[in-house]
Amino acid sequence: MSTKRQLGASGGDASDSGSGSGSGRDKAPKREVTDRCSNEWIPNVVGSLQTTHIPILSPNKNNASAYRSEQYMLGKKAFYSIKLQGVVDHDCVFIDVDIGKPGKMSDDQILLESQLLRRDDRFTEGEWIVGNVSIPLMNRILVPYTQAPLNMTPTQITYNVAISKIREVGLEAIVKLKGRWVCLKQPLQFREDVANVVEACCVLHNMCRLKNDEIDPEWVVDDYENDIVFPPIASSDPASQARDKIAEGLVAARAIL
């Protein structure tokens, strides 16, 4: 039931080669998410990665327990859910989504099973996507340092502050998506097309963002306090070295300002 899509400017599949606004966005120059982050600047960041729960009614399947998480609360009780993994750009526009994995699946499992890291046509060498501590540090994915703050160097702390500001862009996109399309906050009927419903909401969200149709602030409710955080799996050495170099460069750039 999982859906893996690249979303273009008008919400269409970004892999489409025909003319139109969807392909036009692919050809447009990339702007970094860090355009939004004042002086906390990390170069070559093209997306903020977020994963969130979409509540569903109890699946009538033998593996229904996979969709139920005791850690995901709707009101005051555990609920069934599927997950939406999304990458958003500087405008809170979804450029890649993976929809439909069971709610119990960890964020790092979803990432590793998705097509995101295999899309060389979308993310080129040297570009980064920023995620949270529930996913591993790896090629193309930057995450915060996870040791206790008292054990961090000033360079690592500066880097984590910059990463948190970039992550806010992804969090903002999810909050606005659910604020505008309130059906994503209520249990959806579990059917084979439930992932298509969620994807349609992402497409319509993109269209609203690109038309500058702002959401009413009263619709926005931040529900992230209930999302699951899993321990990350081991980081790769090359990615760890690249992160250290980025952190050192960030501090050096700030010293010049």
Side-chain angles (χ1 to χ4, degrees):
M1 187 191 68
S2 179
T3 297
K4 305 179 182 72
R5 302 281 282 182
Q6 290 174 264
L7 301 183
S10 63
D13 190 337
S15 62
D16 292 344
S17 58
S19 61
S21 57
S23 58
R25 185 176 185 86
D26 292 337
K27 297 176 182 177
K30 290 182 179 178
R31 288 172 53 192
E32 297 167 355
V33 175
T34 41
D35 287 349
R36 297 272 300 276
C37 297
S38 185
N39 292 329
E40 310 296 348
W41 196 82
I42 297 177
N44 300 322
V45 173
V46 296
S48 179
L49 174 67
Q50 294 295 330
T51 304
T52 188
H53 291 271
I54 306 295
I56 58 173
L57 295 177
S58 175
N60 186 20
K61 291 191 172 185
N62 294 331
N63 65 339
S65 61
Y67 292 85
R68 183 178 178 85
S69 174
E70 299 301 325
Q71 293 170 284
Y72 175 61
M73 309 298 290
L74 188 63
K76 293 186 177 180
K77 65 177 182 178
F79 221 85
Y80 296 95
S81 69
I82 60 173
K83 280 192 168 182
L84 160 64
Q85 173 189 273
V87 180
V88 302
D89 69 8
H90 65 288
D91 278 331
C92 291
V93 170
F94 288 93
I95 58 176
D96 188 280
V97 295
D98 186 288
I99 307 165
K101 296 295 196 308
K104 269 193 173 180
M105 185 176 286
S106 64
D107 291 357
D108 61 278
Q109 287 179 296
I110 294 173
L111 175 63
L112 294 175
E113 290 189 13
S114 73
Q115 297 298 312
L116 176 62
L117 300 179
R118 303 177 181 88
R119 287 175 173 154
D120 293 332
D121 61 324
R122 192 65 175 174
F123 305 107
T124 59
E125 190 67 30
E127 293 180 334
W128 295 96
I129 299 168
V130 168
N132 61 23
V133 296
S134 63
I135 59 176
L137 173 67
M138 61 176 68
N139 183 34
R140 299 184 183 176
I141 304 292
L142 286 176
V143 299
Y145 290 99
T146 57
Q147 57 263 50
L150 290 177
N151 296 328
M152 287 187 188
T153 67
T155 296
Q156 291 172 333
I157 292 173
T158 299
Y159 166 89
N160 274 11
V161 170
I163 286 292
S164 69
K165 290 184 177 295
I166 297 171
R167 287 197 60 240
E168 287 175 1
V169 181
L171 291 169
E172 179 183 348
I174 295 294
V175 168
K176 288 185 174 181
L177 172 73
K178 291 184 175 182
R180 190 183 294 273
W181 313 112
V182 293
C183 63
L184 300 182
K185 295 182 180 180
Q186 305 299 324
L188 295 172
Q189 180 68 44
F190 187 89
R191 302 178 302 183
E192 290 303 315
D193 63 350
V194 65
N196 291 335
V197 173
V198 179
E199 183 183 357
C201 291
C202 293
V203 170
L204 293 171
H205 164 91
N206 282 2
M207 295 175 68
C208 291
R209 293 296 302 167
L210 294 167
K211 293 293 185 179
N212 296 316
D213 183 2
E214 293 297 332
I215 187 172
D216 189 324
E218 294 183 357
W219 299 351
V220 176
V221 177
D222 189 346
D223 62 353
Y224 261 85
E225 66 274 13
N226 292 327
D227 267 13
I228 302 172
V229 175
F230 290 86
I233 61 177
S235 303
S236 69
D237 288 338
S240 181
Q241 294 169 5
R243 178 174 64 176
D244 290 342
K245 185 175 181 180
I246 289 171
E248 292 166 1
L250 178 62
V251 172
R254 286 169 59 88
I256 296 174
L257 296 176

